[in-house]
Amino acid sequence: MIPLQPPRRLIDVEIDGETVRVPEGSTILDACAAAGKDIPTLCYGDTLTPKNACRVCVVEVEGARTLAPACSRKAEKGMKVGTDTERARQSRKVVLELLGSSVDMSTTPRAAEWVEEYDADPARFGDDAATVEQPAKVDNELYVRDYSKCIMCYKCVDACGDQWQNTFAIGVAGRGFDTTISTEFDAPLTDSACVYCGNCVEVCPTGALSFKTEFDMRAEGTWDESKQTETTTICSYCGVGCNLTLHVQDNKIVKVTSPHDNPVTKGNLCVKGRFGYGYV
Amino acid sequence: MDLRFRGAEPSEEERAAVDALLGPPASAWDGGSRTEADLRFAARAEAARDQLLPALHAVNDRVGWISEGALEYICRRLTIPPAEAYGVATFYALFSMKERPKRVLHVCTDLACQAKGAESVRRRVEDHFGPAGTSWHESPCLGMCERAPAALALEAGTPPVAQVYAPATPDTITTMAEAPPSSNGSTPSVKVTGETPERAAVPQAGQDGLLLLRRIGTVDPASLDDYRAAGGYTALRRAFDLGPAGVIREVLESGLVGRGGAAFPTGRKWDATARQPDHPHYLVCNADESEPGTFKDRVIMEGDPYALVEAMTIAAYATGCAKGYLYIRGEYPRAVARLQHAIATARARGLLGDDILGKGLSFDIELRRGAGAYICGEETAIFNSIEGQRGEPRSKPPFPVEKGLFGKPTVVNNVETLVNVLPILERGAQAYAAAEPKLFCVSGAVERPGVYELTFGATLRELLDLSGTTGTTRAVLLGGAAGAFVTDLDIPLTFEGTRAAGATLGSGVVLVIDDGVDLKSLLLRIAEFFRDESCGQCVPCRVGTVRQEEALHRLSRRVDDDDLVLLREVGQTMRDASICGLGQTAWNAVESAIDRLGVFR
């Protein structure tokens, strides 16, 4: 049973000239969803506090000097928001170009679609443009960290840290373009505080963190999402009863996720639910 | 929180450095030895995350770098996950996580120094010490622009030594011999050598009619008695007569706006903080002056430290703060030493602490040192830095007056802003507003570089008449790396006047460029600066500053219209979509150089 929240006032917000009514405290992104607008997001996570680091969701708020991140800015009464203005589109385009030119976005869902929609050209910065390319870190049997695909959205750090797992195995290290997600002194995961819950993999928006099975199958060229089925079931290990979604290809479990709308676990699992499927 | 350690042990010296700051460990949980009591009672460690930066400084100051054993020990003492502490330590340029020599030379290659021949110093250092990276670094602006080119050697030890080379000549800098200690400014915590008298930075020193600079170079900065004899603490007495609401009214009426660059009305900030029902309130004095070409706050802190202590006391009284943090950038050893001394003296004399001047006001100041990060001068990044987090700006709203330091209502002002409160109270708001003083940091191709005090309304030409120029003035960079180049010398030096001219007063930088300076390399340095100092949080700034620098490299070899379009698009996106002022202004100076000076035509 979910306890009833105290009633919230409704406020009117104008999205692209259309008035929508949302509960007080909603974000602009919520209001956009209510108005049926599709705003691209990368660092936004439905189970995490918005970090608003990627800036692909920027919208134009009337009267503001700069663009506002839709994912975190609270909608205010009477706010006039433009989601598709020239300025907002231009910023999204350049942000996609900046990301696409520095990070491998080949496994980021919808990235290719957005690049096309915003007419972005990540190749315009030339062949010498600096990238974050580096070898993938394969230091354990369960999941792989391929930071050449990392857009620094902070979601894995938040999930590992005080927002969910409270393990604090990874942090953000360095500064500027050289910022990375790292354990202390870049030690291998097996030496770190990691408990292999895989909740970081669950929230990663680009595939920088992936199951070892997925990583290996992609390397072999056998990963094929069109041949996969998803079955949601209940974890059989303990009495909590977490939901598991088993991704099955060729009659084999290749990945385990968990529904984010589960009111108890919100997509989080422990090592057994996430990786302990070998007995099936 | 379940901490997991890899088992690296600190050396005796590292352990001693941390214990000197935090005291001996209370239990085995804290990193002490196991006792009988540990087996019988569960130890409860107090998380003290905000001591992380001071603890890192303690080790770095004594040993010169931070080993894994030292970091683990700090984490045990403060109950911090090692991965997080590593993230914080690697954020700051003055810390090293690899072993390095105890003495490290920081050679300023930033704007003002570059205009004064830093390149030849850098080349000589490179010839002498080998490639940059271990025993020496190229440094962003050290804030000694009036004595450019400058360099600063930091040597770990007990006490650590800071040796200033300004002006640095290719010969002096390569002789490692220690200069004789300066006659004043030495304290037990940092030994500062090679400094010049603070009067040298203020060409107007001793003149009549100065308000903010009147004591600098004429009153002994170490003596509280001299400060009081020269008018000190009359403003605080007046404040007690007016009461907190009266002080805020006076500051509101004076029209004082913030001098850090954003020009927000100070009175409104104070009023909004004072009204917050949430408690406690905090005061933060932003002395992380790092905008290239800016050194006014350093000159005030070195030459008139008690003025800042008094001004902070008044601000705390008006806004209901019992605790103030003074955050001074790590590259200002003499300012740190002066303020440590001033705060300790004021405390001993009952001007800080409980019941100040017998008026029942309780207020104290804690001094914090930065560790080499321009971004920590951003008003919310400074909170994260004090709290022991990475110095990344927070997104606003909520604004500091509502949720600032430790999530509490906070008033954050820079040094010059606070010091302005003294003449407001001494002279009254109206008299102050009739002749409002503003400090300018004049450097580059001028005869008498230094901090100048003018009343608002003077033109750039009048300022340059005072300082005198050398060579043929080609342009003036107003507001530092985040500012803009101007060529019209008749613009009034006011916030409105500079805005109308498409520039900004910013932090008061007036860097004069003569025709002997290579503008392209100056622009490259600006781009490099922003690339180095971007915190890396948001994409427009993290990647945009890199792409801006790459395009400028290409353009300085060959002018290409595609690259100019690219610069404009990336620049506009940084301005529109970055989280904080760093990214939002990273393109300003480059844009103005292209548009007004025709650099790549």
Side-chain angles (χ1 to χ4, degrees):
Chain A
M1 258 243 301
I2 303 169
L4 275 178
Q5 300 291 323
R8 288 199 287 176
R9 271 191 301 174
L10 293 174
I11 52 169
D12 285 339
V13 187
E14 207 175 284
I15 308 283
D16 293 337
E18 182 194 337
T19 303
V20 290
R21 185 161 285 190
V22 291
E24 199 171 33
S26 305
T27 61
I28 294 178
L29 193 66
D30 298 332
C32 289
K37 304 282 175 190
D38 179 28
I39 310 277
T41 59
L42 282 170
C43 72
Y44 169 76
D46 52 356
T47 60
L48 296 162
T49 306
K51 181 70 187 166
N52 63 70
C54 75
R55 318 302 276 189
V56 292
C57 71
V58 286
V59 293
E60 195 163 349
V61 175
E62 196 176 285
R65 184 172 50 88
T66 55
L67 300 174
C71 67
S72 67
R73 179 66 53 84
K74 297 266 184 289
E76 289 161 29
K77 196 177 165 198
M79 199 181 233
K80 290 193 172 75
V81 177
T83 66
D84 217 29
T85 62
E86 180 60 37
R87 213 169 140 211
R89 286 189 69 91
Q90 175 68 16
S91 268
R92 275 182 221 154
K93 166 182 152 317
V94 176
V95 165
L96 287 168
E97 289 173 341
L98 293 173
L99 276 177
S101 64
S102 57
V103 180
D104 172 6
M105 295 183 80
S106 59
T107 54
T108 307
R110 297 195 67 188
E113 178 197 326
W114 292 328
V115 164
E116 195 164 320
E117 182 186 342
Y118 289 96
D119 199 18
D121 174 19
R124 69 189 291 203
F125 302 107
D127 298 335
D128 300 334
T131 69
V132 296
E133 195 180 346
Q134 57 190 294
K137 289 183 194 295
V138 188
D139 53 12
N140 67 85
E141 285 304 306
L142 301 181
Y143 71 99
V144 175
R145 298 177 290 155
D146 184 359
Y147 289 134
S148 53
K149 291 178 174 171
C150 176
I151 59 162
M152 294 303 300
C153 68
Y154 291 58
K155 277 159 89 172
C156 55
V157 175
D158 288 346
C160 185
D162 58 1
Q163 291 192 26
W164 289 121
Q165 189 62 28
N166 276 298
T167 291
F168 299 97
I170 46 173
V172 180
R175 193 167 79 193
F177 194 74
D178 302 325
T179 311
T180 54
I181 305 294
S182 174
T183 57
E184 63 272 25
F185 288 87
D186 205 14
L189 270 187
T190 43
D191 278 8
S192 77
C194 180
V195 296
Y196 304 95
C197 62
N199 291 332
C200 53
V201 181
E202 179 77 45
V203 296
C204 179
T206 65
L209 302 177
S210 63
F211 272 59
K212 180 92 172 4
T213 42
E214 176 176 347
F215 182 80
D216 289 343
M217 286 172 76
R218 280 187 191 276
E220 289 165 13
T222 52
W223 181 260
D224 185 354
E225 277 172 21
S226 66
K227 282 163 68 184
Q228 292 173 10
T229 56
E230 293 178 18
T231 311
T232 299
T233 177
I234 293 174
C235 180
S236 55
Y237 275 105
C238 78
V240 172
C242 301
N243 285 159
L244 304 179
T245 301
L246 307 175
H247 299 242
V248 177
Q249 181 179 336
D250 300 330
N251 223 17
K252 270 196 182 137
I253 298 172
V254 292
K255 174 163 97 166
V256 178
T257 58
S258 180
H260 290 194
D261 57 359
N262 182 304
V264 179
T265 59
K266 309 263 189 192
N268 294 295
L269 294 172
C270 74
V271 59
K272 289 184 264 186
R274 182 84 61 190
F275 294 108
Y277 52 80
Y279 69 94
V280 180
Chain B
M1 193 184 298
D2 187 18
L3 297 186
R4 188 175 189 279
F5 296 102
R6 303 215 302 155
E9 288 292 324
S11 70
E12 279 309 307
E13 203 180 13
E14 289 163 344
R15 190 186 288 271
V18 176
D19 287 352
L21 174 78
L22 302 173
S27 68
W29 173 266
D30 273 351
S33 51
R34 191 173 282 273
T35 64
E36 190 85 339
D38 284 321
L39 301 173
R40 295 183 56 194
F41 306 104
R44 185 168 154 273
E46 293 289 338
R49 180 73 185 244
D50 72 301
Q51 287 299 316
L52 177 56
L53 189 53
L56 292 170
H57 264 305
V59 173
N60 198 63
D61 276 352
R62 188 174 306 197
V63 188
W65 67 289
I66 299 158
S67 71
E68 185 161 6
L71 192 77
E72 282 203 3
Y73 185 61
I74 291 171
C75 289
R76 277 185 202 279
R77 294 299 315 272
L78 301 174
T79 315
I80 297 173
E84 293 229 326
Y86 180 74
V88 172
T90 52
F91 187 82
Y92 295 100
L94 292 185
F95 296 146
S96 171
M97 310 308 284
K98 293 197 191 95
E99 192 165 3
R100 61 175 176 181
K102 285 210 162 190
R103 183 186 174 93
V104 178
L105 184 66
H106 300 263
V107 180
C108 180
T109 51
D110 223 319
L111 307 178
C113 287
Q114 204 182 85
K116 285 283 191 179
E119 184 54 27
S120 64
V121 175
R122 192 194 67 79
R123 267 203 300 271
R124 178 63 178 267
V125 168
E126 192 166 28
D127 289 346
H128 200 267
F129 297 115
T134 50
S135 62
W136 74 281
H137 294 271
E138 286 185 36
S139 170
C141 181
L142 292 169
M144 291 185 276
C145 318
E146 84 280 8
R147 285 170 280 163
L152 176 69
L154 297 175
E155 186 173 339
T158 10
V161 178
Q163 185 171 355
V164 173
Y165 297 92
T169 63
D171 292 324
T172 55
I173 202 161
T174 46
T175 54
M176 285 296 219
E178 207 167 279
S182 62
S183 56
N184 47 21
S186 304
T187 72
S189 64
V190 189
K191 199 169 131 199
V192 188
T193 65
E195 277 283 11
T196 51
E198 37 307 289
R199 190 185 181 99
V202 183
Q204 293 166 309
Q207 280 180 19
D208 288 340
L210 295 176
L211 288 177
L212 306 176
L213 300 177
R214 66 188 152 156
R215 279 183 289 260
I216 295 174
T218 57
V219 174
D220 178 6
S223 166
L224 181 56
D225 291 325
D226 285 10
Y227 175 71
R228 297 184 77 153
Y233 281 101
T234 50
L236 182 62
R237 286 178 198 284
R238 174 96 204 287
F240 284 135
D241 292 343
L242 291 168
V247 173
I248 291 176
R249 205 178 315 120
E250 202 78 358
V251 174
L252 269 171
E253 272 175 31
S254 73
L256 176 66
V257 299
R259 304 291 199 238
F264 188 83
T266 307
R268 272 173 53 199
K269 199 185 260 185
W270 287 19
D271 189 40
T273 310
R275 286 173 191 277
Q276 290 292 326
D278 196 8
H279 273 276
H281 295 178
Y282 288 105
L283 170 69
V284 173
C285 173
N286 186 346
D288 191 47
E289 175 181 67
S290 320
E291 184 67 46
T294 317
F295 49 98
K296 61 191 170 66
D297 291 351
R298 192 204 83 225
V299 168
I300 293 173
M301 287 189 286
E302 291 179 350
D304 200 6
Y306 291 104
L308 183 57
V309 174
E310 183 185 358
M312 283 182 73
T313 312
I314 294 169
Y317 175 64
T319 54
C321 304
K323 174 118 197 216
Y325 287 86
L326 170 57
Y327 188 100
I328 304 182
R329 75 180 292 207
E331 293 89 338
Y332 278 1
R334 183 159 70 165
V336 169
R338 289 276 160 83
L339 259 310
Q340 276 171 340
H341 174 75
I343 291 168
T345 313
R347 198 179 287 138
R349 298 272 290 271
L351 293 165
L352 282 177
D354 291 331
D355 199 19
I356 292 170
L357 288 176
K359 300 285 184 184
L361 171 65
S362 171
F363 174 67
D364 211 335
I365 299 174
E366 187 170 333
L367 194 152
R368 291 295 180 93
R369 278 156 67 202
Y374 169 71
I375 189 60
C376 289
E378 201 274 344
E379 64 172 359
T380 54
I382 202 171
F383 303 151
N384 279 342
S385 184
I386 293 172
E387 289 178 21
Q389 310 284 345
R390 290 164 55 83
E392 293 169 353
R394 302 174 181 173
S395 65
K396 292 179 274 190
F399 290 94
V401 294
E402 205 181 316
K403 283 193 192 315
L405 187 63
F406 302 115
K408 297 295 177 186
T410 304
V411 55
V412 49
N413 286 127
N414 98 320
V415 175
E416 187 190 347
T417 315
L418 283 169
V419 170
N420 267 283
V421 172
L422 303 178
I424 290 173
L425 292 183
E426 284 159 6
R427 297 158 59 97
Q430 279 173 0
Y432 169 87
E436 190 177 347
K438 174 78 191 95
L439 299 182
F440 295 97
C441 313
V442 184
S443 62
V446 292
E447 281 165 20
R448 290 171 296 278
V451 177
Y452 285 83
E453 178 180 324
L454 292 179
T455 42
F456 266 114
T459 64
L460 183 53
R461 191 181 300 280
E462 285 163 9
L463 176 60
L464 295 186
D465 284 346
L466 279 180
S467 68
T469 53
T470 58
T472 312
T473 301
R474 182 171 176 195
V476 176
L477 179 62
L478 280 186
F485 290 96
V486 294
T487 47
D488 176 12
L489 298 187
D490 288 316
I491 57 173
L493 294 172
T494 58
F495 288 105
E496 306 76 29
T498 46
R499 204 175 303 136
T504 167
L505 218 46
S507 53
V509 174
V510 177
L511 176 63
V512 180
I513 316 285
D514 66 9
D515 50 5
V517 172
D518 179 13
L519 270 175
K520 285 175 188 167
S521 64
L522 205 64
L523 290 188
L524 269 175
R525 184 66 187 102
I526 291 176
E528 249 171 50
F529 174 80
F530 283 115
R531 179 209 62 196
D532 283 345
E533 298 296 340
S534 165
C535 78
Q537 197 179 192
C538 68
V539 174
C541 176
R542 180 179 75 231
V543 189
T545 51
V546 172
R547 297 290 179 254
Q548 169 170 280
E549 191 201 355
E550 289 169 350
L552 284 172
H553 270 293
R554 286 196 297 271
L555 281 166
S556 52
R557 290 193 299 267
R558 191 173 63 87
V559 176
D560 180 343
D561 284 345
D562 283 352
D563 274 330
L564 287 171
V565 172
L566 185 151
L567 264 184
R568 267 182 217 286
E569 285 191 16
V570 170
Q572 191 59 39
T573 300
M574 287 198 283
R575 186 176 288 162
D576 277 346
S578 296
I579 293 179
C580 79
L582 188 153
Q584 288 163 12
T585 57
W587 146 249
N588 283 2
V590 179
E591 181 187 36
S592 69
I594 292 173
D595 288 348
R596 291 178 201 157
L597 309 180
V599 180
F600 296 114
R601 206 168 284 155

